[in-house]
């Protein structure tokens, strides 16, 4: 049962189960066999379909994933009970139960659309060193429909939310649903956040992305995604400070809030650009909470955890810098766990 007062943070994207190979079972030969890059996120084509069974045959771990679903669990980790609701489309199967249970355990309320035909989406994750390669078969996750969002019991959760977080991966799925949230945020001066998710989003889904960026109050990406955005927009720069500045200056629907662009760069400082009404931009860099390399289990989900901690800060009206530090703290916890997970018993910030 949904909480009567709703949830301050609402996240939308693709609920996906990660099938993650670990240790000796995960190697370059496997990447080569399926033509995967060592650090990438792609949509599966026909030639990749054997990867999932091959991973399972190699003792792979099954872990709840889906980028914004990880962010939702991460944000809830740092917020009071009943703070986060997550929306996306799953199949009518056991994998959907697994995802729902992971969310319930984390205290995240789910409002899944359940597709009767397609199975729940899955993501093959191949870890080599500190890199992760992801190959996603969206299946049911690709069947999200705006009609689900507009049902009265779901839309009332949309209306009660104060902050929206959409994973950019959803731009491949249901732009009308993203725009419905974005417009609700802009019309009522609520907060809309978007992550670029992967380089292929600005590369191949540029028009969909450009239809949503004017609504963003916060836009997140890592350095590779930032450069892909710059290339696809003909900006002719790979300088992260410069790209952050330009992102913050993109046209904006709701002029009552500044645009904030946040670019993470692994262990290098996070670059933050805050656009001002005058047209000037404040660009700062904020160090990450680095942990010893030997404590890193894998970096799958680090960016999602960062966004979760950050969103938790914004939900609690913290400053941008404090929210960045919360994101960095949560990311440092997540990379010490297998996959996009967080330590239990809970640690406190
Ligand atoms: C549309 N695509 C490609 C995707 C994803 C995705 N989540 C949503 N849509 N491809 C990978 N992921 C998730 O990213 C997380 C790490 O950031 C994986 O499920 C993984 O948990």
């Amino acid at each position: 049962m949904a909480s009567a007062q709703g949830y301050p943070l609402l996240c939308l994207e693709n609920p996906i189960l990660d099938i993650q190979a670990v240790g000796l079972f995960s190697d370059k030969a496997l990447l080569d066999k399926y033509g995967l890059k060592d650090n990438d996120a792609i949509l599966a084509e026909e030639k990749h379909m054997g990867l999932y069974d091959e991973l399972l045959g190699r003792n792979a771990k099954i872990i709840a994933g889906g980028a914004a679903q990880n962010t939702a669990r991460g944000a809830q980790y740092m917020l009071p009970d009943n703070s986060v609701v997550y929306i996306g489309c799953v199949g009518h199967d056991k994998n959907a139960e697994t995802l729902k249970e992971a969310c319930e355990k984390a205290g995240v309320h789910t409002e899944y659309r359940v597709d009767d035909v397609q199975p729940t989406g899955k993501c093959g994750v191949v870890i080599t060193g500190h890199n992760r390669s992801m190959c996603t078969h969206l299946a049911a996750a690709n069947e999200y429909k705006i009609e689900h969002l507009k049902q009265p019991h779901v839309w009332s959760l949309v209306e009660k939310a104060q902050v929206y977080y959409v994973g950019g991966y959803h731009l491949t799925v249901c732009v009308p649903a993203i725009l419905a949230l974005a417009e609700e945020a802009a019309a009522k001066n609520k907060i809309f956040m978007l992550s670029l998710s992967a380089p292929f989003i600005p590369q191949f889904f540029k028009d969909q992305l450009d239809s949503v960026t004017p609504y963003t109050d916060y836009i997140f990406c890592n350095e590779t995604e930032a450069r892909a955005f710059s290339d696809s927009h003909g900006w002719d720069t790979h300088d992260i400070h410069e790209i952050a500045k330009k992102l913050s200056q993109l046209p904006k629907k709701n002029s009552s809030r500044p645009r904030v662009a946040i670019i993470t760069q692994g262990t290098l400082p996070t670059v933050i650009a805050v656009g001002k009404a005058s047209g000037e931009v404040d660009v700062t860099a904020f160090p990450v909470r680095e942990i010893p390399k030997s404590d890193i289990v894998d970096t799958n989900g680090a960016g999602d955890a960062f966004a979760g901690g950050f969103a938790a800060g914004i939900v609690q009206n913290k400053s941008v810098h404090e929210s960045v530090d919360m994101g960095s703290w949560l990311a440092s916890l997540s990379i010490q766990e297998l996959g996009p997970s967080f330590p239990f018993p809970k640690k406190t910030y």
Side-chain angles (χ1 to χ4, degrees), residues 7-296:
Y7 306 85
L9 176 63
L10 183 145
C11 304
L12 166 74
E13 207 210 37
N14 313 325
I16 285 172
L17 201 72
D18 287 355
I19 304 177
Q20 178 170 328
V22 285
L24 291 175
F25 295 106
S26 196
D27 56 20
K28 179 145 181 346
L30 185 59
L31 292 176
D32 291 345
K33 179 169 176 190
Y34 288 96
L36 303 171
K37 292 188 206 151
D38 61 354
N39 206 4
D40 206 2
I42 62 163
L43 287 170
E45 296 164 35
E46 210 42 53
K47 64 174 182 195
H48 299 118
M49 292 303 168
L51 173 68
Y52 307 99
D53 279 344
E54 176 146 4
L55 284 168
L56 289 169
R58 288 175 179 229
N59 227 354
K61 295 273 179 302
I62 292 185
I63 315 162
Q69 189 166 235
N70 302 334
T71 297
R73 287 187 291 110
Q76 182 59 63
Y77 192 87
M78 297 185 79
L79 286 168
D81 289 352
N82 286 320
S83 289
V84 186
V85 54
Y86 173 80
I87 299 177
C89 187
V90 295
H92 199 80
D93 52 26
K94 186 165 170 289
N95 287 348
E97 291 301 314
T98 306
L99 291 183
K100 193 175 168 120
E101 272 163 29
C103 282
E104 270 168 11
K105 190 172 161 227
V108 171
H109 179 76
T110 52
E111 283 293 340
Y112 292 139
R113 171 177 188 270
V114 180
D115 192 79
D116 285 328
V117 179
Q118 294 289 329
T120 296
K122 55 196 174 182
C123 173
V125 186
V126 180
I127 305 284
T128 50
H130 290 160
N131 291 319
R132 96 281 180 266
S133 188
M134 303 191 291
C135 183
T136 298
H137 180 40
L138 281 172
N142 208 19
E143 302 297 324
Y144 191 73
K145 308 275 183 258
I146 182 142
E147 290 74 22
H148 176 269
L149 191 69
K150 288 290 172 83
Q151 293 170 100
H153 74 282
V154 182
W155 191 254
S156 98
L157 295 176
V158 172
E159 287 180 322
K160 286 172 189 160
Q162 293 303 314
V163 179
Y164 305 90
Y165 178 92
V166 175
Y169 284 127
H170 205 67
L171 290 163
T172 75
V173 174
C174 188
V175 176
I178 303 176
L179 285 174
L181 298 181
E183 273 159 16
E184 164 76 11
K188 305 203 184 138
N189 193 22
K190 300 196 274 190
I191 296 172
F192 185 80
M193 303 182 171
L194 180 82
S195 151
L196 293 190
S197 294
F200 83 83
I201 297 293
Q203 269 162 2
F204 303 123
F205 293 84
K206 177 176 181 286
D207 292 348
Q208 293 89 329
L209 177 57
D210 290 347
S211 72
V212 175
T213 45
Y215 294 93
T216 55
D217 298 300
Y218 295 89
I219 188 157
F220 301 91
C221 57
N222 66 23
E223 70 280 42
T224 330
E225 294 148 14
R227 292 187 176 118
F229 190 102
S230 177
D231 289 345
S232 69
H233 289 76
W235 284 354
D236 199 27
T237 177
H238 273 187
D239 181 83
I240 294 301
H241 283 70
E242 188 60 27
I243 299 171
K245 184 175 168 197
K246 283 171 143 333
L247 284 172
S248 74
Q249 287 172 317
L250 286 172
K252 196 164 187 305
K253 290 268 183 197
N254 175 6
S255 53
S256 320
R257 294 182 184 276
R259 154 90 40 59
V260 182
I262 298 153
I263 308 183
T264 58
Q265 324 186 68
T267 54
L268 294 176
T270 303
V271 175
I272 306 149
V274 184
K276 300 214 187 112
S278 61
E280 282 167 53
V281 180
D282 246 358
V283 186
T284 50
F286 200 82
V288 302
R289 292 186 175 226
E290 215 171 327
I291 58 165
K293 276 212 156 42
S294 55
D295 288 352
I296 300 179

